[in-house]
Structures are given as C-alpha cells and as structure tokens.
Amino acid sequence: MSYMESITVAGDRQSTVVEALRCYATARRERRPVLPDLVAIAGRSGLAAPAMVALGSVFELTEGCLGRSLATGGPGRLSRDERAMLRLLDCADMADPASGSAAVPHGLPGVLIWAIRSARRLWPGARPAPPRATGATCPFDTIALSTPNEGR
C-alpha cells in the first residue's frame, strides 16, 4: 500500500473520511484498485468493510455528478472538496434531499442521496441532519452537483 498518512480533523469519523478520500484519490491517480486500501482503513478504524465500500461509492458518484476528480488537501490542510464531502455526509438524511437544505441548497441527485444514506447507515454514530434554510451555498462552492447526463 503506497498511501499512509495520519490526519487530524475534528473527530474520528471525519478523520477516517478524509483519510479514505485521500486514499481513494491516490489509488485512482495511480490507476490501482481502490477497495483493498479502503477496506484496510476500515480495519484500522474498527469499521465494517461494507462501510468503506459504501463510502467509496459515494466518492465515485460525487465525481460523476461533478464531472471531475475530487481534490485532496495536504498534511494538516483540508481541500474544499474534502470539506464539502464532510458536509454531504453530515446532511444526507434531510427530510427532502431533492429540494435542498441549508447544507446543500440545490438538492442532490437521487443516486447520490441513496449512496450517502447507505454509507451513513453503515457508519456508527452519524450525526442527525441539519435544519433546512435558505441562502446557503453549495458544499462544492460554485460547482453544483448535477445528474450524470445533464449538460453533457
């Protein structure tokens, strides 16, 4: 395994998500299989392997919706995409995810909603969804999530 980095973020779950995203991005750049490394992270984190498999699906679907690879930060620094992914994972259980919330004002494509919900169900201690509000910004800043076939 060529990817090993200790990451300190607010909370074990967030640290594990960031580590998994960085591992995922590295494996994709190097054109290696992603799942063996994600499953290894699950083992070190005390999570069931299916939780990391589901998280890998969330990463891949997010890239598909964005039409680009997810960017990662460096030691001690989160990228905008890493911060956005943490927000998505914290808000995906909103009552009406298709119409939006304070965290994701434009809503999410159905396939991404279900992938995030699945990953959250497999993850112990997921936080409840934040309340809906107007005037919020997209977790991925000016890049709105779209369905994979929109605009192509």
Side-chain angles (χ1 to χ4, degrees), residues 33-49:
V34 173
L35 290 181
D37 292 348
L38 291 181
V39 170
I41 291 171
R44 288 194 311 274
S45 303
L47 294 168

Side-chain angles (χ1 to χ4, degrees), residues 61-126:
L61 286 166
T62 301
E63 287 181 333
C65 290
L66 290 171
R68 64 174 176 80
S69 297
L70 292 168
T72 57
R77 182 182 56 84
L78 293 177
S79 72
R80 289 171 26 178
D81 284 351
E82 289 167 339
R83 286 190 304 271
M85 184 59 61
L86 292 171
R87 283 179 63 192
L88 281 181
L89 291 168
D90 280 345
C91 73
D93 285 344
M94 58 185 121
D96 187 9
S99 63
S101 72
V104 188
H106 48 68
L108 295 172
V111 67
L112 188 54
I113 293 166
W114 287 108
I116 293 169
R117 283 182 172 172
S118 295
R120 286 175 54 92
R121 282 189 189 113
L122 293 167
W123 203 290

